[in-house]
Amino acid sequence: MQIQQLKQAVEALLFVAETPLSEQQLVDHFDSENVTKKQLKEVLRELQSDYQERGVQLISVASGYRFQTRAELGGIISRLWQEKPPRYSQALLETLALIAYRQPITRGDIEEIRGVSVSSNIMKTLQERGWIKVVGHREVPGRPQLYATTNEFLDYFSLNDLSELPAIPEPPERGSQAGQTAQIKLEITAETATNTE
């Protein structure tokens, strides 16, 4: 198979696939044509380059390669559908963030960090979306389930792996913040006293 034919075939496969396709899946698909992984990688690089400035991009996510629209065009594209995208509660997003950053984690750990109980509906919704799964049990009395994120989670947020999650900024130290606040109050008081003299 010539490279141009391979490029067209890979492009067509990725357009019609319902889920991302990995390099291995693509190599397996072209098994009878004796396509090598090296050839396939070159074709994927060329396709990514071809689509770099277009409304659709070829991106790599945890499960493989897929075409998707550019993020900055989301507002324009969303007008095509009447239905609104699902809205998630702050509690659900906090729970998902804790699982993503602290996995594997138990429901009890999440409740301890958040300071409130986690609704069963939240855990059910996250599992139904395919964003989290049970990966084991903690060896303590009651053997609580341990939760972790899935490849579907990574794919949904266009990530290859968890290392691409944004860094969490360090919270300011309470002591230094209190000291800064006291210093600011002191400066304001001194300035006010000077202005009134």
Side-chain angles (χ1 to χ4, degrees):
M1 178 178 266
Q2 293 181 353
I3 293 296
Q4 187 58 31
Q5 285 179 302
L6 177 61
K7 188 174 175 181
Q8 290 172 343
V10 169
E11 181 180 28
L13 281 171
L14 291 170
F15 260 116
V16 299
E18 292 182 13
T19 58
L21 297 175
S22 68
E23 287 179 8
Q24 191 57 52
Q25 286 174 306
L26 289 166
V27 168
D28 292 346
H29 189 80
F30 293 107
D31 191 38
S32 60
E33 286 85 6
N34 296 319
V35 172
T36 66
K37 208 167 200 171
K38 183 179 178 184
Q39 289 173 314
L40 184 68
K41 284 184 178 191
E42 180 58 34
V43 163
L44 287 167
R45 271 195 298 275
E46 284 182 27
L47 283 170
Q48 283 180 315
S49 177
D50 292 349
Y51 281 90
Q52 193 156 7
E53 298 299 320
R54 303 193 52 197
V56 176
Q57 295 178 306
L58 176 61
I59 66 159
S60 170
V61 292
S63 300
Y65 289 85
R66 71 175 179 205
F67 280 105
Q68 73 179 35
T69 56
R70 297 180 78 85
E72 58 268 23
L73 300 176
I76 295 168
I77 294 168
S78 66
R79 292 184 233 153
L80 186 61
W81 294 279
Q82 296 299 320
E83 62 192 54
K84 294 195 188 285
R87 296 198 42 89
Y88 299 107
S89 68
Q90 185 73 24
L92 183 138
L93 295 174
E94 287 174 7
T95 301
L96 180 60
L98 284 168
I99 294 170
Y101 282 94
R102 300 237 176 146
Q103 59 187 304
I105 189 170
T106 66
R107 190 170 166 173
D109 295 336
I110 296 166
E111 290 173 346
E112 186 177 325
I113 294 166
R114 289 192 63 233
V116 294
S117 65
V118 175
S119 161
S120 296
N121 287 337
I122 288 175
M123 300 307 283
K124 183 180 174 188
T125 299
L126 291 172
Q127 287 179 307
E128 285 174 352
R129 289 283 313 191
W131 289 350
I132 66 167
K133 65 181 178 182
V134 175
V135 293
H137 293 82
R138 184 170 288 160
E139 294 301 324
V140 295
R143 295 189 37 137
Q145 295 177 325
L146 289 166
Y147 294 96
T149 56
T150 64
N151 277 347
E152 287 84 355
F153 164 80
L154 295 171
D155 292 347
Y156 185 84
F157 292 99
S158 297
L159 303 170
N160 280 304
D161 57 49
L162 293 171
S163 67
E164 294 181 6
L165 286 171
I168 299 174
E170 290 294 321
E173 293 180 30
R174 287 185 174 257
S176 67
Q177 188 177 16
Q180 288 174 350
T181 305
Q183 184 179 356
I184 290 168
K185 284 182 181 176
L186 183 60
E187 288 172 3
I188 291 171
T189 307
E191 188 177 310
T192 307
T194 306
N195 290 340
T196 56
E197 288 177 353

